[in-house]
Amino acid sequence: MVTASNVVLALEPHAWGTLGAFIGGLIVVVGGLVWAVGMGIGVMRREPDRPEPQEQPHLPVTGAVEEISEVREPDEVHCDDGERLMPYEIHRAGTRRSEQQHRHRWAPGGSGSFGSGGPGRT
């Protein structure tokens, strides 16, 4: 009986120390979260107001802009007389509008497997 009492008395201060450390850590974490929320509210108060619905952008009267689809081909750069081209002699875009604007389609019965060399239609 005396031994059991000594064990309980020996563990009791250690248990309170662990519990105190846990509660202290919990208070530090909760305090940090409360501080972060308060700081976030202060930042939100300093931001400008949100725009009103009438200040939002609207579609033009003519409607939405339509998409333009065209076939492009590479713009070849030729070097005349063996001299190098200067930057001002090169076009801004590396492609130009193709003369034939119809889209290339797969031939009927073609593979359609994007060059894998498979049998295609069988």
Side-chain angles (χ1 to χ4, degrees):
M1 185 88 178
V2 174
T3 308
S5 300
N6 288 338
V7 169
V8 170
L9 290 174
L11 289 178
E12 191 173 312
H14 180 65
W16 282 108
T18 305
L19 185 62
F22 176 74
I23 291 174
L26 189 63
I27 289 173
V28 168
V29 169
V30 169
L33 289 174
V34 168
W35 175 79
V37 168
M39 192 170 118
I41 290 172
V43 168
M44 285 179 58
R45 286 184 180 157
R46 288 190 299 267
E47 290 179 351
D49 293 333
R50 293 182 177 153
E52 298 295 324
Q54 59 270 16
E55 296 173 350
Q56 298 288 336
H58 298 286
L59 282 175
V61 179
T62 57
V65 178
E66 293 183 18
E67 180 180 333
I68 298 174
S69 178
E70 64 182 7
V71 178
R72 307 283 295 178
E73 61 185 23
D75 192 11
E76 300 293 333
V77 179
H78 298 286
C79 183
D80 297 333
D81 301 330
E83 294 188 23
R84 68 184 185 134
L85 293 175
M86 300 313 254
Y88 56 85
E89 297 174 323
I90 298 176
H91 302 292
R92 288 183 11 198
T95 61
R96 60 183 156 84
R97 189 172 194 272
S98 177
E99 293 178 8
Q100 295 181 355
Q101 287 296 309
H102 72 280
R103 288 181 55 191
H104 297 289
R105 301 284 183 179
W106 292 106
S111 74
S113 60
F114 300 104
S116 68
R121 291 188 188 178
T122 55

